[in-house]
Amino acid sequence: MDKVNRILYDKEYLFYLENIRLLEKDRSFCRHDFEHFLTVARLTYLFLLEEGCRFISREMAYSAGLLHDIGRWKEYQGGGDHATISARLAGSILERAGFNHCEQELIVKAIAQHRHDAPGEHRSPLSSALHKADGMARLCFSCVSRKDCRGLDRRPHRERLLY
Ligand SMILES: [Fe+2]
Ligand SMILES: [Fe+2]
């Protein structure tokens, strides 16, 4: 997991995490911190294993999870959709981590697609697993802010622990 471990110490990555932490300081809804990233990373890999997908490496699955929301801070500052921003910011981090061009492309596309159900849009197994992992990573059924959360209306499957 050398490439994934490089991401953990990447200065840009840590800078984005810190920006998100500061901007979510007073947020009552769930945050986009390292714990969320790691949960999504682990679930992404688990779903790929369940699907029997062999050509996506564990490092790719983890990297997609660890990077999928890094652009949140820009969205808070009015910069646009965080999935698109995160995909853009992920490129140079993946390059420095040592992923080849093909791997980078698959991970970046999965990050760009992680947010919405897009029927008809082509998704790689990594993209589908990341989207599903992000949806299942929150414990909405036990959340104290659930009555005010718009996310739960849009994603009713979060009421459940498993699909
Ligand atoms: Fe997201
Ligand atoms: Fe997320």
Side-chain angles (χ1 to χ4, degrees):
M1 295 281 271
D2 284 352
K3 296 184 190 111
V4 170
N5 289 326
R6 265 179 229 131
I7 293 175
L8 301 183
Y9 294 94
D10 187 286
K11 287 208 167 65
E12 242 174 63
Y13 182 60
L14 296 172
F15 173 69
Y16 300 152
L17 275 177
E18 180 61 8
N19 287 351
I20 297 167
R21 189 186 71 78
L22 291 172
L23 289 164
E24 290 188 341
K25 207 164 25 80
D26 303 316
R27 184 179 162 91
S28 61
F29 302 112
C30 45
R31 299 182 184 180
H32 300 83
D33 52 12
F34 188 75
E35 199 179 329
H36 172 60
F37 294 179
L38 187 58
T39 303
V40 173
R42 287 171 168 156
L43 285 174
T44 299
Y45 185 52
L46 182 75
F47 291 143
L48 284 166
L49 289 178
E50 284 184 354
E51 291 294 318
C53 179
R54 304 237 172 237
F55 72 94
I56 304 286
S57 68
R58 187 169 59 156
E59 290 207 300
M60 289 173 71
Y62 268 70
S63 300
L66 294 180
L67 296 170
H68 80 283
D69 276 337
I70 53 172
R72 269 268 164 189
W73 62 282
K74 283 213 171 208
E75 183 173 303
Y76 295 140
Q77 294 177 332
D81 171 56
H82 78 266
T84 310
I85 301 165
S86 302
R88 184 159 38 80
L89 297 178
S92 56
I93 298 174
L94 291 166
E95 175 76 31
R96 284 193 292 279
F99 287 97
N100 67 36
H101 182 71
C102 196
E103 292 168 331
Q104 286 181 37
E105 217 171 90
L106 271 169
I107 297 166
V108 164
K109 180 128 196 241
I111 293 172
Q113 292 179 322
H114 86 263
R115 196 171 182 191
H116 301 292
D117 281 313
E121 192 177 327
H122 178 263
R123 281 179 186 275
S124 69
L126 177 61
S127 180
S128 300
L130 181 66
H131 175 70
K132 189 169 155 186
D134 195 34
M136 299 309 287
R138 302 297 198 183
L139 303 178
C140 300
F141 48 83
S142 64
C143 177
V144 291
S145 300
R146 54 176 291 144
K147 68 174 177 1
D148 303 312
C149 182
R150 285 181 301 131
L152 197 49
D153 296 338
R154 289 199 308 269
R155 305 177 195 86
H157 59 269
R158 285 185 172 181
E159 292 277 18
R160 294 174 281 145
L161 185 58
L162 292 170
Y163 268 97

